[in-house]
């Protein structure tokens, strides 16, 4: 294979490196990058030290997965954004909200509460949890949790979830996004994307190429990484809450079938994984199979078999899930 050698570009570099120009006051300025570094090394060193100190003091670990990431957004801003989003969703779907006494609302609340009790939110009385089921037949199957404990489930996802273990899979995935503060993490990366955009634009001069690079090389992989992390954290949380982690595989199989069927109905094709914000369902299933041993360990540590059998000796340090004010 032909490989370009560095010496082939030397004449070009030499030509650029030693060029000079005259300013209006007739002083000669060299564009040699080595001269620039030599003349400004103190400022550059200060900038590098400042940036490193800033990044190090704003690093944060995601719960359960322990992934290290940059976090610039505080809890208060996150709560504020969650509150705004909540008002918007309520005003959009107020005609379709099922009442609190509806059996499906009670079911979602019961399962959500059991997962919250084993999540990083357990015991946090400052969160005003609200759970809503939206009965809109036209809406695509979905569920989401907004910062500040606002849970929305579209009734169209319930048949895909199937049993309680399946619903726990979806709810724990959504709660995992909140536990890992993925909204705040995405917002923290916005300045980095902007800087990358500016640098790329100055090189390519093309806005389209620039947004394609930033989206496909930075934003989409970051989004897929957070989705995969939510799958992992969710699987561990649902296992701690004594749901069956095997059911997670069946949920994503049903989700894949639904995606394929709807793509067929719409005459379109599912976007390939590298252009999608979510990992392909087959990738998800492979990951979950890989994580199942950890999920079984989480169930064992939570003494789920003893709880299921209804056998709870008094010396076990277990107490019924406490009410966190969800209902
Ligand atoms: Zn997700």
């Amino acid at each position: 294979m032909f490989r370009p050698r560095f010496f082939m570009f030397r004449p070009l570099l030499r030509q650029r490196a030693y060029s000079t120009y005259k300013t209006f006051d007739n002083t000669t300025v060299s564009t040699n990058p080595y001269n620039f570094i030599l003349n400004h090394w103190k400022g550059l060193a200060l900038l590098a030290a400042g940036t490193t100190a800033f990044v190090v003091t704003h690093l944060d670990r995601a719960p359960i997965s322990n992934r290290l990431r940059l976090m610039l957004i505080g809890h208060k801003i996150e709560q504020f954004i969650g509150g705004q989003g909540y008002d918007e969703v309520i005003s959009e779907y107020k005609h379709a909200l099922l009442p609190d006494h509806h059996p499906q609302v009670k079911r979602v609340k019961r399962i959500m509460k059991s997962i919250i009790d084993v999540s990083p939110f357990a015991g946090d009385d400052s969160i005003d949890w609200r759970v809503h089921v939206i009965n809109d037949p036209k809406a695509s199957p979905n569920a989401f949790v907004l910062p500040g404990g606002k849970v929305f489930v579209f009734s169209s996802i319930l048949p895909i979830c199937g049993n309680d273990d399946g619903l726990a899979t979806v709810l724990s995935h959504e709660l995992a996004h909140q536990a890992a503060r993925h909204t705040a993490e995405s917002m923290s990366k916005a300045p980095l994307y902007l800087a990358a955009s500016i640098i790329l634009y100055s090189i390519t001069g093309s806005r389209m190429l620039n947004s394609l690079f930033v989206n496909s090389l930075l934003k989409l992989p970051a989004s897929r990484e957070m989705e995969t992390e939510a799958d992992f954290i969710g699987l561990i949380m649902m296992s701690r809450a004594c749901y069956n982690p095997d059911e997670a595989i069946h949920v994503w199989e049903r989700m894949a079938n639904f995606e394929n069927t709807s793509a067929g109905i719409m005459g379109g094709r599912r976007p390939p994984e590298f252009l999608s914000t979510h990992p392909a369902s087959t990738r998800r299933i492979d990951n979950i199979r890989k994580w199942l041993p950890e999920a079984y360990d989480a169930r064992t540590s939570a003494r789920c078999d003893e709880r299921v059998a209804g056998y709870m000796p008094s010396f076990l340090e277990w107490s019924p899930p406490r009410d966190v004010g969800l209902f």
Side-chain angles (χ1 to χ4, degrees):
M1 191 200 293
F2 172 76
R3 284 174 194 276
R5 302 288 174 131
F6 180 70
F7 66 79
M8 294 170 67
F9 301 104
R10 268 187 194 156
L12 250 174
L13 288 172
R14 199 176 291 131
Q15 199 181 356
R16 278 185 71 96
Y18 293 102
S19 63
T20 57
Y21 65 90
K22 288 197 171 185
T23 58
F24 290 113
D25 58 358
N26 269 347
T27 49
T28 303
V29 175
S30 169
T31 57
N32 185 340
Y34 303 111
N35 284 349
F36 180 83
I37 292 167
L38 280 173
N39 293 336
H40 299 86
W41 72 270
K42 277 185 186 169
L44 289 170
L46 212 61
L47 183 71
T51 309
T52 308
F54 181 80
V55 169
V56 167
T57 52
H58 287 81
L59 286 176
D60 174 80
R61 278 195 189 276
I64 300 177
S65 70
N66 280 324
R67 180 174 59 90
L68 203 61
R69 70 270 172 87
L70 184 69
M71 187 64 77
L72 304 179
I73 304 294
H75 285 278
K76 286 202 171 154
I77 298 175
E78 201 181 1
Q79 304 285 321
F80 176 76
I81 292 163
Q84 298 265 308
Y86 178 69
D87 293 342
E88 281 171 26
V89 178
I90 289 289
S91 72
E92 187 178 348
Y93 290 106
K94 55 177 179 267
H95 63 283
L97 296 180
L98 289 179
D100 279 356
H101 58 78
H102 192 281
Q104 288 295 11
V105 180
K106 286 185 174 176
R107 179 182 171 226
V108 173
K109 284 183 175 181
R110 172 175 53 81
I111 295 172
M112 194 72 206
K113 183 176 181 297
S114 63
I115 303 165
I116 290 168
D117 285 337
V118 296
S119 77
F121 296 116
D124 187 347
D125 295 330
S126 67
I127 301 174
D128 178 20
W129 290 99
R130 306 266 177 94
V131 177
H132 299 287
V133 178
I134 300 169
N135 188 30
D136 184 350
K138 287 181 195 160
S140 61
N142 198 10
F144 55 91
V145 181
L146 294 175
K150 310 300 182 277
V151 185
F152 291 93
V153 177
F154 286 84
S155 57
S156 49
I157 204 171
L158 297 175
I160 296 172
C161 294
N163 55 24
D164 284 1
D165 297 304
L167 184 52
T169 302
V170 169
L171 293 177
S172 58
H173 171 91
E174 296 306 325
L175 191 67
H177 276 306
Q178 282 315 304
R181 302 184 63 213
H182 284 161
T183 309
E185 185 182 341
S186 296
M187 289 165 66
S188 300
K189 284 178 181 162
L192 301 178
Y193 296 146
L194 184 69
S197 274
I198 292 168
I199 293 167
L200 276 168
Y201 184 70
S202 67
I203 295 168
T204 63
S206 159
R207 249 173 231 193
M208 210 177 82
L209 211 62
N210 169 19
S211 78
L212 187 74
F213 271 125
V214 173
N215 281 333
S216 57
L217 294 179
L218 299 173
K219 286 187 181 175
L220 289 176
S223 175
R224 283 199 297 270
E225 186 183 28
M226 288 192 275
E227 284 303 324
T228 304
E229 185 174 66
D231 281 344
F232 174 72
I233 295 174
L235 190 75
I236 300 300
M237 287 197 304
M238 73 179 277
S239 305
R240 284 180 186 171
C242 296
Y243 292 100
N244 180 8
D246 293 322
E247 190 60 27
I249 292 171
H250 304 311
V251 168
W252 295 120
E253 281 170 349
R254 287 192 288 270
M255 202 73 84
N257 283 341
F258 176 84
E259 280 170 351
N260 293 335
T261 315
S262 357
I265 290 167
M266 290 186 288
R269 287 187 12 210
R270 199 171 172 277
E273 186 185 346
F274 71 90
L275 285 179
S276 162
T277 53
H278 279 61
S281 297
T282 46
R283 172 75 61 93
R284 288 194 126 128
I285 292 166
D286 289 348
N287 283 336
I288 290 167
R289 283 214 171 92
K290 200 174 66 191
W291 300 326
L292 276 178
E294 274 180 85
Y296 295 144
D297 285 349
R299 268 183 65 94
T300 306
S301 303
R303 299 177 176 181
C304 294
D305 292 339
E306 296 163 29
R307 286 163 67 176
V308 169
Y311 173 69
M312 190 54 59
S314 57
F315 59 81
L316 291 181
E317 289 177 9
W318 179 85
S319 59
R322 61 187 292 279
D323 191 340
V324 291
L326 177 57
F327 312 118

